[in-house]
mmCIF file of all heavy atoms in Angstrom:
data_model
loop_
_atom_site.group_PDB
_atom_site.id
_atom_site.type_symbol
_atom_site.label_atom_id
_atom_site.label_comp_id
_atom_site.label_asym_id
_atom_site.label_seq_id
_atom_site.Cartn_x
_atom_site.Cartn_y
_atom_site.Cartn_z
ATOM 1 N N ALA A 210 -11.308 8.502 -1.356
ATOM 2 C CA ALA A 210 -11.335 7.595 -2.502
ATOM 3 C C ALA A 210 -12.305 6.458 -2.212
ATOM 4 O O ALA A 210 -11.925 5.446 -1.630
ATOM 5 C CB ALA A 210 -9.945 7.044 -2.784
ATOM 6 N N ALA A 211 -13.564 6.618 -2.620
ATOM 7 C CA ALA A 211 -14.595 5.632 -2.308
ATOM 8 C C ALA A 211 -15.022 4.816 -3.514
ATOM 9 O O ALA A 211 -16.096 4.205 -3.519
ATOM 10 C CB ALA A 211 -15.807 6.321 -1.693
ATOM 11 N N GLN A 212 -14.168 4.772 -4.539
ATOM 12 C CA GLN A 212 -14.478 3.957 -5.717
ATOM 13 C C GLN A 212 -14.507 2.484 -5.326
ATOM 14 O O GLN A 212 -13.694 2.009 -4.543
ATOM 15 C CB GLN A 212 -13.415 4.189 -6.792
ATOM 16 C CG GLN A 212 -13.656 3.474 -8.106
ATOM 17 C CD GLN A 212 -12.467 3.659 -9.044
ATOM 18 O OE1 GLN A 212 -11.479 2.935 -8.971
ATOM 19 N NE2 GLN A 212 -12.543 4.675 -9.890
ATOM 20 N N ARG A 213 -15.427 1.741 -5.881
ATOM 21 C CA ARG A 213 -15.522 0.307 -5.638
ATOM 22 C C ARG A 213 -14.611 -0.432 -6.624
ATOM 23 O O ARG A 213 -14.577 -0.074 -7.806
ATOM 24 C CB ARG A 213 -16.986 -0.118 -5.831
ATOM 25 C CG ARG A 213 -17.275 -1.557 -5.522
ATOM 26 C CD ARG A 213 -18.768 -1.806 -5.508
ATOM 27 N NE ARG A 213 -19.052 -3.226 -5.392
ATOM 28 C CZ ARG A 213 -20.287 -3.720 -5.288
ATOM 29 N NH1 ARG A 213 -21.338 -2.904 -5.275
ATOM 30 N NH2 ARG A 213 -20.459 -5.025 -5.173
ATOM 31 N N ALA A 214 -13.808 -1.440 -6.195
ATOM 32 C CA ALA A 214 -13.885 -2.052 -4.892
ATOM 33 C C ALA A 214 -12.651 -1.711 -4.055
ATOM 34 O O ALA A 214 -12.751 -1.387 -2.879
ATOM 35 C CB ALA A 214 -13.995 -3.570 -5.045
ATOM 36 N N ASP A 215 -11.454 -1.820 -4.656
ATOM 37 C CA ASP A 215 -10.235 -1.677 -3.865
ATOM 38 C C ASP A 215 -10.092 -0.325 -3.181
ATOM 39 O O ASP A 215 -9.735 -0.282 -1.995
ATOM 40 C CB ASP A 215 -9.007 -1.957 -4.743
ATOM 41 C CG ASP A 215 -8.974 -3.384 -5.244
ATOM 42 O OD1 ASP A 215 -9.595 -3.644 -6.286
ATOM 43 O OD2 ASP A 215 -8.342 -4.224 -4.590
ATOM 44 N N PRO A 216 -10.310 0.803 -3.869
ATOM 45 C CA PRO A 216 -10.072 2.084 -3.188
ATOM 46 C C PRO A 216 -10.886 2.255 -1.924
ATOM 47 O O PRO A 216 -10.341 2.633 -0.868
ATOM 48 C CB PRO A 216 -10.442 3.116 -4.266
ATOM 49 C CG PRO A 216 -10.168 2.416 -5.559
ATOM 50 C CD PRO A 216 -10.593 1.001 -5.307
ATOM 51 N N VAL A 217 -12.187 1.994 -1.984
ATOM 52 C CA VAL A 217 -13.011 2.208 -0.796
ATOM 53 C C VAL A 217 -12.659 1.219 0.314
ATOM 54 O O VAL A 217 -12.665 1.565 1.495
ATOM 55 C CB VAL A 217 -14.523 2.151 -1.137
ATOM 56 C CG1 VAL A 217 -14.966 0.732 -1.485
ATOM 57 C CG2 VAL A 217 -15.349 2.693 0.025
ATOM 58 N N VAL A 218 -12.307 0.005 -0.045
ATOM 59 C CA VAL A 218 -11.954 -0.988 0.972
ATOM 60 C C VAL A 218 -10.641 -0.626 1.652
ATOM 61 O O VAL A 218 -10.519 -0.674 2.883
ATOM 62 C CB VAL A 218 -11.902 -2.398 0.359
ATOM 63 C CG1 VAL A 218 -11.303 -3.398 1.350
ATOM 64 C CG2 VAL A 218 -13.297 -2.838 -0.057
ATOM 65 N N MET A 219 -9.615 -0.265 0.867
ATOM 66 C CA MET A 219 -8.335 0.098 1.467
ATOM 67 C C MET A 219 -8.492 1.300 2.404
ATOM 68 O O MET A 219 -7.919 1.335 3.492
ATOM 69 C CB MET A 219 -7.301 0.425 0.385
ATOM 70 C CG MET A 219 -7.026 -0.683 -0.619
ATOM 71 S SD MET A 219 -6.386 -2.212 0.092
ATOM 72 C CE MET A 219 -7.812 -3.287 -0.057
ATOM 73 N N GLU A 220 -9.275 2.280 1.975
ATOM 74 C CA GLU A 220 -9.439 3.480 2.782
ATOM 75 C C GLU A 220 -10.314 3.221 4.010
ATOM 76 O O GLU A 220 -9.954 3.570 5.139
ATOM 77 C CB GLU A 220 -10.047 4.587 1.912
ATOM 78 C CG GLU A 220 -9.995 5.959 2.526
ATOM 79 C CD GLU A 220 -10.418 7.028 1.539
ATOM 80 O OE1 GLU A 220 -11.647 7.203 1.331
ATOM 81 O OE2 GLU A 220 -9.539 7.691 0.950
ATOM 82 N N ALA A 221 -11.465 2.597 3.805
ATOM 83 C CA ALA A 221 -12.404 2.388 4.913
ATOM 84 C C ALA A 221 -11.877 1.391 5.942
ATOM 85 O O ALA A 221 -12.266 1.447 7.114
ATOM 86 C CB ALA A 221 -13.753 1.914 4.375
#
Side-chain angles (χ1 to χ4, degrees):
Q212 184 186 84
R213 184 170 172 176
D215 296 86
V217 70
V218 170
M219 302 300 107
E220 193 172 79

